[in-house]
Amino acid sequence: MNTDRRRNNAPAGGTTAPVFARTIREPGYLQSLRPSRSRGLNELRRIFLQTSIIPSASGSAYLEIPSSSAPVTLTLIPPTSSLKITASVQGPKPLPRSAPFSPSLLLTTTVKFAPFATRNRRGYIRDTTERDLGVHLETALRGVIIGERWPKSGVEVVVTILEGDEDGWWGDSGSEGSASGSGWGLLNVLAGCITVVSAAITDAGIDCVDVVTGGVAAIARTSDSGNSKVVARLLDPCPAEHKEIVAACAVAYLASRDEITEIWMKGDCGQDTDALTEGATHSAVGSLAVVKEVLLEALQAKFQGQLEASEGSLKRKVGDVDMTG
């Protein structure tokens, strides 16, 4: 073995030749990589949700919605992006003595994209897009939290977007009709933030009138075999899978009270405003089923741990009595 520190030692094992990806500049090859929607119009993507991921926070949750498109093995560039969001809740905690008296709970929301969350690297300072998402999220939560139970107290909600939905397919960038910068992916990001924050607030034990979840519906134009445009309404849209999205709507929905605490609509929906809003609420109800199941499992695990701890302490007390007797 060569122990000369002045030279770079060769690897101990064998090496393999590099494999180069096929170039995307070939005519017709780029369009063959375009992803397409393989699920039904009313079918939602699978959701992974987990609570209590940050021990130092009062409540936390992690949400992931993977891409529904089949992976393309001919290129190293992924066809679509996934949605990965973490949320942490700090509080409720007393406000500083110098703060004026507040009869209800003061809510502060902060939404920040990680620098690597999108294909174009983002900055470390919050921009206008992140501030707008924070305002929409705060509006959605204000009608849910029962703030009168915590006078002169505050709670801080911090949301970090590890990976966000894109506004369109990466192959359309730089071409006519590019969806880049259109903001369609932000509606999915907002709906995911609402859902994951709702789970984190419930994990923190903050009283709410109901569990709020986010949902998105969109109207897209598709081309059939006759090259004619067909307008279709679809739930949980992935902007990369559709070449032309006409309108989209994101809502924060309370299912048991049948109330909408926040709504964000983009595009020209024409006379289909009510139908688009109703589709977004159906998408939110689908997310609610996942949130309820996850929260129920977390609650059962918590009570099981407390029960086992109480049984262990009871056995120790009985053992102490037998020893003293």
Side-chain angles (χ1 to χ4, degrees):
M1 180 178 179
N2 186 10
T3 59
D4 191 353
R5 298 182 179 179
R6 292 174 296 181
R7 294 182 177 86
N8 293 329
N9 298 329
T15 59
T16 57
V19 178
F20 296 95
R22 186 176 176 182
T23 175
I24 61 175
R25 297 181 181 273
E26 299 179 11
Y29 174 65
L30 181 62
Q31 294 300 323
S32 65
L33 301 178
R34 176 183 292 275
S36 60
R37 186 183 178 103
S38 58
R39 48 196 171 95
L41 297 180
N42 296 330
E43 184 179 355
L44 307 180
R45 290 176 290 182
R46 295 185 178 182
I47 300 176
F48 174 81
L49 181 65
Q50 184 177 354
T51 58
S52 303
I53 62 171
I54 304 177
S56 60
S58 303
S60 58
Y62 170 75
L63 173 73
E64 180 175 350
I65 303 179
S67 174
S68 60
S69 300
V72 179
T73 58
L74 301 177
T75 179
L76 299 179
I77 304 177
T80 58
S81 60
S82 304
L83 186 62
K84 301 176 182 178
I85 305 175
T86 61
S88 62
V89 177
Q90 302 290 344
K93 51 187 177 182
L95 295 176
R97 293 181 178 270
S98 59
F101 176 78
S102 175
S104 60
L105 183 68
L106 293 181
L107 175 65
T108 304
T109 58
T110 303
V111 178
K112 184 70 182 74
F113 280 89
F116 49 84
T118 56
R119 296 188 188 272
N120 297 328
R121 189 171 180 84
R122 307 184 71 96
Y124 293 93
I125 302 177
R126 294 177 63 199
D127 54 13
T128 57
T129 300
E130 295 164 338
R131 296 180 187 275
D132 290 343
L133 288 175
V135 172
H136 283 291
L137 179 61
E138 183 177 351
T139 306
L141 298 177
R142 284 193 179 277
V144 179
I145 298 177
I146 306 177
E148 293 78 9
R149 298 187 180 180
W150 290 277
K152 201 177 180 181
S153 300
V155 61
E156 184 179 3
V157 178
V158 179
V159 179
T160 303
I161 303 169
L162 302 178
E163 186 175 356
D165 259 353
E166 298 173 322
D167 295 337
W169 183 48
W170 59 269
D172 291 335
S173 59
S175 60
E176 293 187 10
S178 173
S180 178
S182 57
W184 301 120
L186 293 179
L187 279 78
N188 287 336
V189 172
L190 176 61
C193 290
I194 294 172
T195 303
V196 70
V197 169
S198 178
I201 289 177
T202 307
D203 183 53
I206 301 177
D207 295 339
C208 301
V209 297
D210 193 9
V211 178
V212 61
T213 53
V216 182
I219 299 175
R221 287 194 180 100
T222 58
S223 300
D224 58 5
S225 58
N227 295 328
S228 60
K229 297 292 184 177
V230 178
V231 178
R233 190 195 71 178
L234 42 95
L235 305 184
D236 190 19
C238 182
E241 297 175 350
H242 306 281
K243 191 172 183 179
E244 186 178 0
I245 296 180
V246 180
C249 175
V251 299
Y253 184 60
L254 301 174
S256 63
R257 301 168 65 95
D258 193 19
E259 294 180 3
I260 294 177
T261 59
E262 175 63 6
I263 182 170
W264 186 13
M265 189 172 296
K266 289 177 63 68
D268 184 12
C269 56
Q271 302 295 329
D272 297 335
T273 304
D274 295 339
L276 193 61
T277 305
E278 184 180 359
T281 58
H282 289 334
S283 180
V285 170
S287 301
L288 178 62
V290 179
V291 174
K292 284 185 175 180
E293 184 176 355
V294 171
L295 294 178
L296 182 59
E297 292 179 357
L299 189 63
Q300 291 176 350
K302 181 179 179 180
F303 283 155
Q304 183 68 23
Q306 293 179 354
L307 182 60
E308 292 177 355
S310 61
E311 290 179 353
S313 61
L314 182 60
K315 290 181 181 179
R316 287 195 297 270
K317 289 182 181 180
V318 172
D320 295 341
V321 172
D322 291 341
M323 291 176 64
T324 55

